[in-house]
Amino acid sequence: MKFARSVWKILVAIKDGLVLLLLLLFFGALYALLTLRPTPGAVQSGALYLALEGPVVEERARLKPMQLLSGGGRSKAVQERDVVRAIEAAAGDERIKAVVLDLESFGGGSQVAMTHIGAAMDKVRAAKKPVLVRAGLYTDDSVQIAAHASEAWVDPLGGALVAGPGGTNLYFKALLDRLKIKAHVFKVGTYKSAVEPFTRENASPEAKEALGAVYSALWEAWQADVKKARPKANIQLVTSDPVKWISASGGDAAKAAVAAGLVDRIGDKVTFGKRVAEIVGADPAAGEGAFKGTALATYLADQTPSTDGKAIAVVTIAGDIVDGDAGPGSAGGDRIAELVDKAAASGDYAALVVRVDSPGGSVTAAERIRTAIARMKAKKIPVAVSMAGLAASGGYWVSTPADRVFAEPATITGSIGIFAIIPSFEEALGKAGIGTDGVRTTALSGQPDVFGGFSPTAEAVIQQQIDSGYARFVGLVAEARHKTPAEIDKIAQGRVWDGGTARQLGLVDEFGGIDAALAWAAKAAGATSWHPVYLGTAADPFGALLDQLADSESEADSAHVLGTQGGASDFAALAAQRQGALAQQLLGDLSRLLGEAGAQVYCLECAGMAPPAEPVATPPANTWLALLGRIAG
């Protein structure tokens, strides 16, 4: 017995020692990670080096602990306001001799975001500082950025490709017919094409008409921006006959890009780095082609935002609007409503600006956000909406309480409509020899029956709720825009509009970005001095630690050494990337058919312009349609 006790004591001592060792290792790692955080004062004289890794988004998704524990990290992305703020600050910063944008791993962004970045670059050039850009392969978004550069470089094995807006959607009706799966579609809106992939084998004439008009406006705005910034760019040559254009340079796409005036010089990353070093100074200790410079995170840490004057709250609604607490990166209705309600209750804010970059989503989540904004407005607090690249369907629903709506010519908005999709499998089961039968006490007993089929009563009840939701949507817009429901119905019907047309139709009040919306809100609040406060971005030590761990590689001290290739390097690589994007679209479309979303105010044709979103949290079954979706799923 004494021997057993001795062994037990030894085992306990070993256990305690291991626990102590693990604690020491944990706190040691914690200290090491915290010391990686960029600190003010680390900015050195040289270049502001901006490696735009991944897409430019309105709001970055927050890294979750399980993503880190599973060995995965957050997808690379950069916030538009961070990039613009850094570039604009560099214009007047004596330490910054040049701005360098590395687009090797660039994932694109909305046309509105590219316009803002280009305008910031113009301010640096107006301050007599060079702006240099380099990429392997330029596409529409990066061509727009490069147009504003004083020197645009392309890799010798790269090139440029201008495709213009537009693309492909997937249509599943023939497949569903073959599988004997019936998609029950409930909608209001002639142009509400979100349901068409499940009811048609191609796009309807109405959908093509609406989207064609929007894309035409976007294309004109894109060309105008590029030609203004780079008059020598021959867009007509590039787009009219790309094969002839590249053949004229002996099949060398890089030389063709120079010949068309899209870029200025050809060179690999070492050659480009040496060119930057001629301007800002070399950094021999960091290797061949390295130059003195400061990365984005370090530079932003050095910039202390003003806190003078009154505070203007800014709430961001970015990505799909979903039920629950999802986000940042997607717009969880509960999370955003709570942010707005806390801001209203605090009494700390003179006005509210709602920044919207969303194709919409859940009706219940959109309504939760809208009512929270309306409650803040009811406290006599001025509310402005600033539409980014996308504020359609549910993105417009949440905008209706605003006193003033700002958008830009390239903003996609409208899509005032509503739908629900629920599959049933009675024909597929019958073909497999499986029948259904039972006893019912009412017309709705056992309904919705996704195995035996929907009864006419169940279908009528669902369609009634969709009709009611559309009437509510139109009524909210009519009240907000001081029009009759009939007037709004004529321009609603699920149709999307570009920002310019939306302004003409009265859906938008004024052109301008978030700065214009902030200035209006401050003036409406009687504030001569003010500063913005972005809700939901307060320091979270644990979240900051996770972010630091995920970002430490790309934001290391050697960030002024040009990054490795991560984006498409040639046309074949671009095709492979877009094949992956098509697969993601397929998954998204199937999720809409088989998911649990219930009634939706979502713009399918806008989805390709939406920022990346976090996985959608499972919504609560708090509505009839959500319950149907849960059963169907």
Side-chain angles (χ1 to χ4, degrees):
M1 194 68 178
K2 289 182 179 179
F3 176 75
R5 288 196 192 98
S6 299
V7 172
W8 178 252
K9 289 180 180 179
I10 292 172
L11 292 174
V12 170
I14 292 173
K15 182 263 295 182
D16 291 343
L18 289 174
V19 170
L20 179 61
L21 178 61
L22 288 173
L23 285 172
L24 290 172
L25 290 173
F26 172 77
F27 285 110
L30 182 65
Y31 173 79
L33 289 170
L34 289 175
T35 57
L36 289 174
R37 181 178 295 184
T39 56
V43 176
Q44 62 174 315
S45 177
L48 171 61
Y49 174 65
L50 304 176
L52 302 188
E53 297 183 338
V56 171
V57 298
E58 193 63 36
E59 183 180 53
R60 287 185 77 188
R62 188 164 294 164
L63 186 65
K64 298 180 182 299
M66 288 307 298
Q67 289 178 276
L68 203 59
L69 293 174
S70 64
R74 173 179 51 206
S75 299
K76 295 292 186 181
V78 60
Q79 287 187 156
E80 176 207 325
R81 68 173 180 266
D82 290 341
V83 176
V84 171
R85 182 161 70 93
I87 295 175
E88 290 181 342
D93 191 334
E94 294 182 356
R95 298 169 296 179
I96 302 301
K97 310 303 179 185
V99 173
V100 176
L101 288 93
D102 183 353
L103 305 182
E104 286 278 4
S105 302
F106 182 48
S110 73
Q111 194 166 315
V112 167
M114 299 304 99
T115 302
H116 291 171
I117 293 173
M121 294 165 65
D122 291 344
K123 292 180 180 179
V124 176
R125 294 184 63 182
K128 307 301 181 184
K129 296 181 181 182
V131 180
L132 298 93
V133 176
R134 181 185 177 274
L137 177 67
Y138 288 92
T139 54
D140 295 33
D141 297 340
S142 47
V143 166
Q144 189 176 0
I145 289 178
H148 294 267
S150 48
E151 290 185 26
W153 288 58
V154 65
D155 191 89
L157 298 179
L161 177 68
V162 176
T168 300
N169 284 327
L170 300 174
Y171 293 83
F172 305 104
K173 184 179 185 304
L175 174 62
L176 295 177
D177 289 345
R178 184 177 300 176
L179 297 175
K180 302 299 181 180
I181 297 174
K182 182 179 293 185
H184 298 266
V185 172
F186 309 92
K187 71 161 188 168
V188 178
T190 304
Y191 296 91
K192 200 64 183 173
S193 60
V195 301
E196 289 188 355
F198 310 106
T199 62
R200 297 180 55 90
E201 297 180 14
N202 50 30
S204 67
E206 293 84 3
K208 288 186 175 181
E209 173 197 348
L211 205 56
V214 170
Y215 280 153
S216 177
L218 293 182
W219 180 230
E220 289 179 8
W222 186 92
Q223 292 182 87
D225 184 54
V226 171
K227 289 178 180 178
K228 180 180 178 181
R230 186 170 286 249
K232 65 180 180 180
N234 192 339
I235 304 299
Q236 179 64 26
L237 172 66
V238 174
T239 57
S240 60
D241 192 343
V243 175
K244 181 179 179 180
W245 160 54
I246 296 176
S247 296
S249 295
D252 189 322
K255 291 182 178 178
V258 174
L262 300 180
V263 299
D264 304 296
R265 302 177 69 172
I266 299 172
D268 61 19
K269 63 182 181 182
V270 173
T271 305
F272 176 75
K274 289 180 177 179
R275 168 58 183 152
V276 177
E278 291 176 3
I279 301 170
V280 304
D283 187 358
E288 189 77 6
F291 49 86
K292 295 179 180 179
T294 303
L296 176 61
T298 303
Y299 190 69
L300 288 176
D302 181 72
Q303 304 297 310
T304 303
S306 171
T307 56
D308 295 338
K310 294 183 178 180
I312 307 296
V314 181
V315 65
T316 303
I317 302 171
D320 287 0
I321 297 174
V322 299
D323 294 293
D325 296 319
S330 56
D334 291 342
R335 177 181 64 87
I336 294 173
E338 184 179 359
L339 287 174
V340 175
D341 283 337
K342 284 184 176 179
S346 71
D348 296 335
Y349 302 101
L352 172 68
V353 171
V354 182
R355 180 67 167 173
V356 183
D357 194 16
S358 172
S362 162
V363 171
T364 55
E367 177 64 4
R368 191 161 287 126
I369 295 170
R370 186 200 68 81
T371 54
I373 296 170
R375 284 192 293 270
M376 191 164 185
K377 180 181 178 181
K379 294 179 179 289
K380 306 301 181 183
I381 296 174
V383 176
V385 161
S386 170
M387 294 180 171
L390 184 58
S393 206
Y396 197 91
W397 184 299
V398 299
S399 302
T400 53
D403 297 299
R404 194 78 173 169
V405 176
F406 292 80
E408 306 200 39
T411 297
I412 306 298
T413 189
S415 191
I416 300 168
I418 184 171
F419 71 92
I421 307 171
I422 310 169
S424 66
F425 307 93
E426 64 272 20
E427 293 183 14
L429 293 175
K431 186 177 181 181
I434 301 173
T436 60
D437 197 5
V439 177
R440 299 174 176 83
T441 55
T442 73
L444 289 176
S445 294
Q447 293 292 325
D449 189 347
V450 297
F451 298 123
F454 286 22
S455 70
T457 302
E459 290 192 333
V461 167
I462 299 170
Q463 185 61 51
Q464 281 180 338
Q465 185 168 2
I466 296 299
D467 292 340
S468 175
Y470 179 73
R472 176 165 177 75
F473 197 170
V474 169
L476 290 171
V477 177
E479 181 181 358
R481 307 317 301 167
H482 307 293
K483 295 179 181 292
T484 66
E487 289 174 322
I488 294 299
D489 183 58
K490 290 179 181 178
I491 58 177
Q493 295 292 320
R495 179 163 183 162
V496 293
W497 304 100
D498 62 275
T501 305
R503 185 184 179 190
Q504 294 174 1
L505 294 172
L507 294 175
V508 168
D509 295 305
E510 188 174 337
F511 283 153
I514 191 168
D515 289 340
L518 284 165
W520 180 91
K523 183 177 180 181
T528 55
S529 176
W530 54 272
H531 64 278
V533 177
Y534 286 84
L535 303 181
T537 59
D540 172 12
F542 184 64
L545 181 64
L546 294 177
D547 287 345
Q548 188 62 38
L549 181 61
D551 296 341
S552 59
E553 181 179 351
S554 61
E555 294 292 355
D557 292 339
S558 59
H560 54 287
V561 180
L562 290 172
T564 56
Q565 182 74 30
S569 56
D570 54 30
F571 297 156
L574 180 63
Q577 282 189 356
R578 291 183 174 174
Q579 182 181 21
L582 197 62
Q584 289 296 321
Q585 179 186 339
L586 171 62
L587 293 176
D589 289 345
L590 292 178
S591 175
R592 266 179 285 278
L593 176 63
L594 300 174
E596 307 176 5
Q600 295 285 290
V601 276
Y602 189 85
C603 179
L604 177 67
E605 57 270 43
C606 306
M609 309 171 196
E614 295 178 343
V616 175
T618 301
N622 57 355
T623 66
W624 169 255
L625 286 172
L627 178 61
L628 299 188
R630 187 175 298 279
I631 295 172

